[in-house]
Amino acid sequence: LEGMFKDGMLHGQGRITHSTGCVLEGEFFQGFLHGQGKKTWPWGVVYEGEFVHGSMQGQGEMWLEGVEASREG
């Protein structure tokens, strides 16, 4: 865990690296990605965009690292 904390939870800019290999970075609110952020899965899939209470919602882009095609929406 790296970043700003409030009441023991990430709150503000931060970064989490899970034991599964997933990396979450961006704006956190009460421990969840909330606002602009980025999620990277260990197999190379990346989502960068809007999050609401930890869920990908709103505008964002998803791609596979090393592949030029991407999906926006």
Side-chain angles (χ1 to χ4, degrees):
L1 295 171
E2 303 170 23
M4 299 165 34
F5 290 84
K6 181 178 179 182
D7 299 326
M9 296 180 282
L10 275 173
H11 196 86
Q13 290 296 315
R15 176 184 169 103
I16 298 174
T17 302
H18 287 280
S19 60
T20 61
C22 282
V23 178
L24 305 172
E25 51 193 320
E27 301 172 14
F28 285 82
F29 178 76
Q30 297 179 340
F32 294 99
L33 266 177
H34 190 80
Q36 291 297 310
K38 181 177 177 181
K39 181 174 183 175
T40 305
W41 286 266
W43 50 87
V45 174
V46 180
Y47 169 81
E48 190 166 3
E50 298 175 10
F51 287 82
V52 176
H53 298 290
S55 297
M56 298 177 289
Q57 292 186 23
Q59 292 294 310
E61 196 170 5
M62 185 176 272
W63 67 90
L64 180 61
E65 288 183 338
V67 178
E68 289 188 33
S70 66
R71 167 108 181 157
E72 291 183 40

